Amino acid sequence: MDNRAAELILRERNIFPTNGSDNITLLNNMFVLEMFYRITQLYHFKNFIFYISERLDLNNKDSQEFFHNFWTYFPMAPNLIITREHHLGIPMMQFISTPSLVMVFTTGKDDPIMELASHNQQGIHWLKTIFVLFPSLQSRDFETNPESLAQFTAEIKDVYDWVWRKQFINTFLITIKDNVFILDPYPTPSIVNKTGVWQAEEFFHKYAKNMKGYLVRTPILYDMPRVFKSDRPTNRYEKNFIHGTSGNLFLGFLEFVNATLMDTSANVTADYLNMTNLLDLVSQGVYETLIHSFTEITTKFVVSYSYPIGINDCCIMVPYRNQSPADQYMHEALQENVWVLISLFTLYITVAIYLCSPLRPRDLSAAFLQSICTLTYSVPTFIIRTPTLRMRYLYILLAIWGIVTSNLYISRMTSYFTTAPPVRQINTVQDVVEANLRIKMLAIEYERMAKSPLQYPESYLNQVDLVDKHMLDLHRDPFNTSFGYTVSSDRWRFLNLQQLHLRKPIFRLTEICEGPFYHVFPLHKDSHMRSVMTEYIMIAQQAGLMNHWERETFWEAVHLHRIHVHLFDDEPMALSLDFFSSLLRTWTLGLILAGLAFAAEMKWHEHVTFKRRPVIRITRKPRSFLRRFMKL
């Protein structure tokens, strides 16, 4: 270790010429070590990582004294010295898990060691980092020379511009003549000189707790139910023009950190949400983050993610195969095979009565009526012995009345209290193929499914129609759908609220799912908002705000007429006489016809009897029609 340290001890012969054997002392070693010691006493670092520029190779007694004293101050602390010649082959986040202090010895923002430090600490730029700057020769006389002061100030600013661009958020800078600088990033990055007045507690301050109105730029596009805008507030108490589950969460986060939202959707050429393009803009640093959350099915390794808002599946939504309407219950009260069985049973009873009847001569029609009477629990069976056509006609009407009435009444009333056998729903890949149902999905979703041929065979993939998100949103109307769609579980919960008011569902999720995937906000790599956003999302989830905003979003969308709720008032009603009007008309017509047949029979009987009666000249009092009917 001593040999390696001696090789890497700070020398500046390559960039700072010396006269003879004299060495130029740039830093006060005791000042730097005392600062390291006081900070370590406060934060209790367990690891020290040195990034030393290849331009600094000072093999002199001052530099050797620096490292000797460092190991004296921290004899048991592990330390790692990294240069471009001895850099790590893996990112440092793979093995750094305890409180660590990173020290970067550099000559400026263009020093190669800066990019090496940024690359090795990718994903952990939040580690507490100290930049030790060795400025150029022209800027060293900044106390007396205005040009040197301007050069010195520019070099400090350039380093901090690089630091903010790379999102080293817990950092400060030490340079020559005991100068100390920190960066106050909010609302706009500014450099604060702490030379001579610093305290250890002032370093590594959590500035993101109060961003002082820091401007967060993001486009706001239509993305129901996650984000949507309105031209008016939903109520007079909250002047809020942005709605949606993700929108409410993001607005709450901005209020939590005292930041300001700037809508840049006017600069977006597309009139719909293209998440892939927006993620590219985040990766390029155009946007730090987006108000639009997304299910992490779109893998972008150049984009970092926030703490998960939720965990969602991506499933196929299909039309629901509803049961028969209530007006068809009379027709579907019994299955066809049951009706056939009843018909055969009626014939069986008819033949049995005919063969077993003691009456002679035996009457097949009477046996048939007796069979119907047995099935419909009609009037006593001795009436069928009456050998008059009118009684048998009336009895046929009575049998029809019993059959139709019992079926109508029982079927109608019991349909509200019984459940018909469930209709087999589309639920698997094979069901989609058998139903010849077209499925609309995004190209990236299709690519994921195509990678699993055993789970999604070619016959299923042939049912898929590739569309962009804009077309998918236009066709994703659950009340007018004859297609299948891909939908994430958070969107499904929102759509499901639309059909809670329906007596019969319109659509459903299948078991054809991909996932689960994290539901996240995109973030720029090593974003300065990551830590505080994680804290806020956890608070919102623990407080139940996500469930509250999900319900609130639905009613906001209804209020703004973005969606429509179909209300159906189809409560069961008691049957009235109007329900039996057709039967009553049939019954009345039967009674009239029976009465006319009875009157005609009476007249015919009177006519025949009158002809056969002997002529008696004694005048008798004529009987009324009622008296003759009662006698008969």
Side-chain angles (χ1 to χ4, degrees), residues 308-323:
I309 301 172
I311 300 177
N312 297 331
D313 294 321
C314 183
C315 301
I316 303 296
M317 184 182 77
V318 298
Y320 196 97
R321 290 177 174 174
N322 282 315
Q323 300 171 359

Side-chain angles (χ1 to χ4, degrees), residues 110-247:
D110 296 326
D111 196 320
I113 199 65
M114 301 282 277
E115 289 298 332
L116 178 63
S118 177
H119 176 73
N120 278 359
Q121 290 183 229
Q122 192 173 60
I124 53 173
H125 285 187
W126 48 266
L127 285 178
K128 295 176 175 59
T129 305
I130 300 175
F131 287 89
V132 182
L133 175 65
F134 294 83
S136 63
L137 185 63
Q138 294 81 1
S139 62
R140 294 184 181 182
D141 193 19
F142 60 86
E143 293 180 333
T144 59
N145 189 340
E147 294 181 358
S148 295
L149 177 62
Q151 179 72 18
F152 179 75
T153 304
E155 291 182 13
I156 299 293
K157 183 178 183 302
D158 289 342
V159 170
Y160 266 123
D161 287 343
W162 182 93
V163 167
W164 181 246
R165 187 171 66 254
K166 297 296 184 179
Q167 297 288 278
F168 284 87
I169 54 178
N170 290 323
T171 183
F172 67 92
L173 183 144
I174 305 174
T175 186
I176 59 176
K177 300 181 182 179
D178 299 346
N179 279 272
V180 182
F181 299 91
I182 63 174
L183 180 69
D184 185 1
Y186 308 113
T188 57
S190 60
I191 300 172
V192 180
N193 190 345
K194 287 290 183 179
T195 303
V197 294
W198 62 270
Q199 295 181 358
E201 294 79 5
E202 296 177 332
F203 299 130
F204 310 129
H205 181 67
K206 291 185 178 180
Y207 294 97
K209 286 291 186 179
N210 182 9
M211 293 188 178
K212 303 176 184 178
Y214 179 75
L215 203 61
V216 179
R217 301 172 63 254
T218 174
I220 305 174
L221 303 173
Y222 180 81
D223 185 23
M224 183 74 71
R226 297 169 182 171
V227 178
F228 57 97
K229 293 188 293 186
S230 65
D231 56 355
R232 56 188 173 90
T234 53
N235 55 59
R236 61 183 179 180
Y237 305 106
E238 297 181 1
K239 302 302 182 182
N240 181 17
F241 294 86
I242 302 172
H243 314 280
T245 53
S246 300

Side-chain angles (χ1 to χ4, degrees), residues 465-582:
D465 295 329
L466 299 181
V467 297
D468 57 21
K469 189 179 185 301
H470 179 52
M471 294 300 297
L472 198 62
D473 289 339
L474 289 178
H475 288 84
R476 189 180 285 149
D477 183 1
F479 294 96
N480 295 282
T481 179
S482 58
F483 299 91
Y485 303 93
T486 53
V487 60
S488 58
S489 54
D490 65 316
R491 294 180 185 271
W492 161 254
R493 290 191 297 269
F494 182 82
L495 294 173
N496 200 33
L497 291 174
Q498 289 182 266
Q499 62 176 358
L500 287 180
H501 305 278
L502 302 179
R503 190 162 55 88
K504 295 180 180 179
I506 303 297
F507 51 95
R508 64 182 297 273
L509 282 185
T510 67
E511 294 182 356
I512 310 173
C513 296
E514 282 285 310
F517 302 101
Y518 287 132
H519 187 197
V520 294
F521 286 110
L523 289 173
H524 189 55
K525 281 290 185 179
D526 295 294
S527 173
H528 62 102
M529 295 188 293
R530 174 189 296 278
S531 177
V532 67
M533 181 178 283
T534 298
E535 179 182 353
Y536 175 75
I537 292 175
M538 294 180 67
I539 293 174
Q541 291 177 340
Q542 293 170 359
L545 291 176
M546 296 301 297
N547 294 331
H548 166 70
W549 284 328
E550 185 175 317
R551 294 188 298 268
E552 186 181 65
T553 295
F554 175 76
W555 292 114
E556 284 175 344
V558 173
H559 177 72
L560 297 171
H561 305 292
R562 295 300 184 112
I563 63 171
H564 300 278
V565 176
H566 296 254
L567 299 177
F568 291 90
D569 187 10
D570 191 14
E571 296 295 331
M573 298 179 63
L575 297 178
S576 63
L577 292 179
D578 294 337
F579 181 78
F580 298 99
S581 59
S582 59

Side-chain angles (χ1 to χ4, degrees), residues 297-349:
I297 188 174
T298 306
T299 304
K300 285 286 183 181
F301 296 103
V302 293
V303 175
S304 183
Y305 307 128
S306 71
Y307 186 82
I309 301 172
I311 300 177
N312 297 331
D313 294 321
C314 183
C315 301
I316 303 296
M317 184 182 77
V318 298
Y320 196 97
R321 290 177 174 174
N322 282 315
Q323 300 171 359
S324 302
D327 57 357
Q328 294 186 12
Y329 266 92
M330 180 184 70
H331 175 69
E332 298 181 356
L334 299 174
Q335 297 181 354
E336 294 181 359
N337 56 352
V338 178
W339 287 111
V340 173
L341 183 61
I342 291 175
S343 301
L344 296 176
F345 188 67
T346 303
L347 297 177
Y348 172 78
I349 295 178

Side-chain angles (χ1 to χ4, degrees), residues 1 4-5 8 46-52 66-67 70-71 74 76-83 86-96 100-105 113 116-117 120-121 124 127:
M1 178 63 71
R4 183 183 179 189
L8 300 174
K46 304 301 180 182
N47 288 295
F48 295 90
I49 300 97
F50 292 88
Y51 287 91
I52 302 178
F66 172 81
F67 278 95
F70 177 83
W71 290 317
F74 312 101
M76 304 299 294
N79 56 81
L80 182 65
I81 300 177
I82 302 173
T83 65
H86 303 86
H87 68 275
L88 296 175
I90 58 176
M92 189 169 293
M93 67 179 303
Q94 300 291 332
F95 60 90
I96 294 297
S100 303
L101 177 64
V102 180
M103 291 160 282
V104 182
F105 293 81
I113 199 65
L116 178 63
N120 278 359
Q121 290 183 229
I124 53 173
L127 285 178

Side-chain angles (χ1 to χ4, degrees), residues 600-616 620 623 628 631-632:
E601 185 177 341
M602 287 289 296
K603 288 296 183 180
W604 176 256
H605 179 76
E606 182 180 359
H607 175 70
V608 173
T609 305
F610 181 77
K611 282 187 175 182
R612 295 178 180 177
R613 185 180 302 171
V615 179
I616 301 176
R620 300 177 63 184
R623 294 180 179 177
R628 282 178 286 173
K631 183 178 180 180
L632 179 63

